[in-house]
Amino acid sequence: MLEPCAAAAEEKLRVRARLNVSPDLREIGPAVDEAVRVATAPHHPSLCPGVDELRLALTEALNNVVEHAEHPPNEPIKICIADEDDVLQICIEDGGKPLPVELLEEPQLPTEPVIEEPMELDALQEGGWGWMLIRASTAGLQYSRQAGRNRLCLAFYSAALAPPASAVLALPAALGEG
């Protein structure tokens, strides 16, 4: 498992951008769009195969800060986007309540096969999926709390945030330059 944003490794990071986001649900979409633009630059995000996972994980993480952490309303949420070797890290820092400890534990897989009856989509619970989506969408994550501040770092493989070679090679033909 990757260990993003480890304190000992921070001096090795190449910071791409630092963003301040107002703790308002209406500001999350534009902040995620800007983070995706920075994370996939100089390429267009639609060419990058891992962009949907990045967008989902970051949106869920920021929603959790705004909806559950009770972050001070007049203080921005800080986002740092940085590279270390072949990993892109997005670290979110906020001044809200600590993340519940049970969320940090590795999920346990069932030991017995789970056989359930088919369920209608409407019967699924509406909330409570965010943390699972964050874990499933990242290459690794790390959480720490220091001096009353939360720091959640999400790691993504850089290769997934660049277009595949076939897309780059096809670009001149698509532009009529081949």
Side-chain angles (χ1 to χ4, degrees), residues 13-35:
L13 297 177
R14 183 178 64 84
V15 174
R16 289 190 186 190
R18 294 180 192 279
L19 309 172
N20 289 324
V21 180
S22 176
D24 181 328
L25 288 174
R26 295 170 294 195
E27 299 299 320
I28 291 174
V32 169
D33 290 343
E34 178 64 11

Side-chain angles (χ1 to χ4, degrees), residues 2 12 43-44 46 51 57 67 69 73-75 77 96 101 104 113 132 135 141 146 159-161 166-167 171 174 176:
L2 298 174
K12 293 190 260 179
H43 311 290
H44 191 279
S46 66
V51 74
E67 292 181 343
N74 58 345
E75 181 183 314
I77 300 165
V101 177
L104 300 174
M132 179 200 64
R135 279 189 181 276
L141 56 87
Q146 293 181 340
L161 299 172
S166 59
L171 195 54

Side-chain angles (χ1 to χ4, degrees), residues 19 58 87 107 127 137 143:
L19 309 172
L58 187 54
V87 175
S137 299
Y143 170 79

Side-chain angles (χ1 to χ4, degrees), residues 64-142:
N64 285 347
V65 171
V66 173
E67 292 181 343
H68 306 295
E70 298 177 10
H71 178 78
N74 58 345
E75 181 183 314
I77 300 165
K78 298 176 186 281
I79 300 174
C80 179
I81 303 168
D83 291 300
E84 181 183 9
D85 299 326
D86 61 348
V87 175
L88 178 94
Q89 298 182 37
I90 300 182
C91 297
I92 304 164
E93 187 177 307
D94 71 85
K97 298 185 308 188
L99 194 65
V101 177
E102 61 271 9
L103 291 179
L104 300 174
E105 298 169 359
E106 286 293 322
Q108 299 299 311
L109 297 175
T111 56
E112 299 290 324
V114 177
I115 301 171
E116 295 183 11
E117 296 298 317
M119 181 184 288
E120 293 295 322
L121 189 57
D122 292 347
L124 292 173
Q125 72 182 40
E126 184 176 331
W129 297 94
W131 193 248
M132 179 200 64
L133 292 170
I134 293 168
R135 279 189 181 276
S137 299
T138 59
L141 56 87
Q142 182 183 46

